[in-house]
Amino acid sequence: MELKHLQYFVAVVEEQSYTKAAQRLFISQPPLSRQIQNLENELGIQLLERGRRPVKTTEAGQFFYLHAVKLLTQAKEIKSMTQRVGNAEKTLAIGFVGSLLFGLLPKILYLFRQQQPQLKIELKEMNTKLQIESLKEGSIDVGFGRLRISDPAIRRILLRNEPLVVAVHERHRFSQATDGLHLSDLIHENILIFPNHAKPNFSTQIRNLFYEHGLDPSHLTEVREVQLALGLVAAAEGMCIVPESAKAIQIPNVIFIPLLDKAAVSPIFLAARHMDENPNIQSMLDSVYQVYDQESIAFIKKTL
């Protein structure tokens, strides 16, 4: 049994037609039918019901289909990952969530470039969920994100927990709370959260933070991005919770107040493939910790 047998069978099942499957595979129908018959003969089991239009699987055929899809996906991932390993000394593709650009990521990348001048670095902005998919496909080698998304094919290293702060208009009554606020203080306020697409995302994290504290904020408004949220805060349209690094976005009339709840943090993760021994990934980690040391930032070395 070869991979092409799996590809042919999967195409027939998904198209529910030998004719459409042959068109999808760019082959003629007779050899496709022979390959499916050869597969059934080799297994000694009927996989497709005879004479059915559209084509349907037997119970054994459905079982075989599900595992064939899984094997083909794994084969694709192995091919992509092997190609990436072969080019590992030439290129390092890095995925990142945009909000990290307001923090220490630019300084980390600059230091890494200085220490690895022979390496071509590709930067790709993408959310954490897409980073996981891209790592498995082999289109990136390292991801920097904020969400706790687990996958058995991916190892995540918790780098640090960045404090969250509340952005408010300088004339808002909370502007005097310089010592800090609690989440419970905010539940009746108009809270702007972001982004408003591709969930789970940072807005999901903020919602969960309230719910984990048993709080149900009455006015949550989703907006496209952090800059828009802060612009609306400057217009006194509400307030928003942001990572501390967002203070680098200097918008007039907006001030930032600490959140005092212990869990009010945004984790920052580095993600890579399990079993990927690319030395450039360790070099990237070294650059992260060097910058954290320079900035006197408390960091964590915890693999999840």
Side-chain angles (χ1 to χ4, degrees):
M1 182 167 51
E2 302 175 12
L3 281 178
K4 68 176 181 180
H5 292 123
L6 303 183
Q7 293 169 337
Y8 291 170
F9 178 74
V10 167
V12 171
V13 173
E14 292 180 347
E15 298 295 338
Q16 297 185 304
S17 163
Y18 280 92
T19 301
K20 292 181 180 179
Q23 293 172 348
R24 167 174 157 179
L25 297 165
F26 300 103
I27 61 174
S28 59
Q29 185 173 332
L32 173 60
S33 299
R34 285 196 299 272
Q35 292 289 352
I36 298 298
Q37 187 174 3
N38 291 340
L39 177 61
E40 290 182 320
N41 291 339
E42 180 179 349
L43 293 172
I45 296 174
Q46 184 177 329
L47 300 174
L48 299 172
E49 295 182 4
R50 298 288 180 259
R52 288 291 301 270
R53 297 292 185 276
V55 175
K56 298 292 184 181
T57 61
T58 62
E59 183 178 353
Q62 182 63 20
F63 173 85
F64 186 81
Y65 165 75
L66 294 174
H67 287 272
V69 169
K70 185 179 297 185
L71 286 171
L72 289 173
T73 300
Q74 291 174 343
K76 182 180 177 182
E77 291 175 0
I78 290 170
K79 178 181 176 181
S80 297
M81 290 168 64
T82 302
Q83 290 171 336
R84 295 297 306 181
V85 170
N87 294 323
E89 295 184 0
K90 301 177 183 179
T91 303
L92 190 75
I94 302 170
F96 65 95
V97 294
S99 65
L100 293 178
L101 290 179
F102 303 120
L104 296 175
L105 185 59
K107 189 169 184 177
I108 291 167
L109 293 174
Y110 178 79
L111 176 62
F112 183 69
R113 286 181 186 275
Q114 303 309 302
Q115 295 178 343
Q116 307 291 332
Q118 81 291 347
L119 192 64
K120 178 183 177 182
I121 298 173
E122 298 177 354
L123 298 178
K124 302 180 181 183
E125 183 186 1
M126 57 181 67
N127 62 52
T128 304
K129 184 177 180 181
L130 184 55
Q131 287 180 32
I132 301 301
E133 296 170 2
S134 298
L135 283 166
K136 292 166 67 175
E137 293 171 356
S139 56
I140 65 171
D141 302 293
V142 177
F144 287 92
R146 291 187 179 275
L147 298 183
R148 296 178 174 89
I149 299 180
S150 298
D151 189 290
I154 304 299
R155 62 186 172 103
R156 295 177 302 134
I157 299 173
L158 177 58
L159 301 177
R160 63 175 296 223
N161 285 313
E162 182 179 2
L164 294 173
V165 297
V166 185
V168 301
H169 191 279
E170 64 179 3
R171 297 291 180 88
H172 192 282
R173 59 190 178 87
F174 283 167
S175 64
Q176 304 303 313
T178 53
D179 291 338
L181 294 165
H182 288 91
L183 290 167
S184 57
D185 297 323
L186 312 181
I187 57 173
H188 299 301
E189 301 293 325
N190 182 27
I191 304 173
L192 305 162
I193 58 176
F194 59 90
N196 59 356
H197 53 77
K199 293 178 175 56
N201 54 30
F202 186 72
S203 67
T204 311
Q205 181 183 349
I206 297 303
R207 287 181 185 274
N208 290 340
L209 185 60
F210 277 107
Y211 299 152
E212 288 166 4
H213 283 74
L215 302 173
D216 187 12
S218 54
H219 303 289
L220 289 179
T221 304
E222 292 190 356
V223 298
R224 188 177 64 253
E225 59 186 6
V226 59
Q227 293 93 331
L228 178 58
L230 291 175
L232 291 171
V233 172
E237 287 295 314
M239 61 182 58
C240 67
I241 299 173
V242 296
E244 188 178 44
S245 55
K247 292 161 69 172
I249 309 173
Q250 298 182 6
I251 296 182
N253 306 321
V254 175
I255 64 172
F256 299 91
I257 300 174
L259 267 176
L260 301 176
D261 303 83
K262 186 177 180 181
V265 295
S266 178
I268 299 176
F269 296 98
L270 181 148
R273 291 178 288 273
H274 270 306
M275 310 302 290
D276 190 342
E277 301 298 332
N278 184 343
N280 293 318
I281 296 175
Q282 183 57 52
S283 297
M284 171 60 73
L285 264 175
D286 292 341
S287 295
V288 170
Y289 297 135
Q290 286 178 51
V291 169
Y292 284 180
D293 279 334
Q294 292 170 8
E295 299 291 327
S296 299
I297 297 288
F299 56 82
I300 306 167
K301 294 184 179 181
K302 183 177 181 181
T303 301
L304 305 173

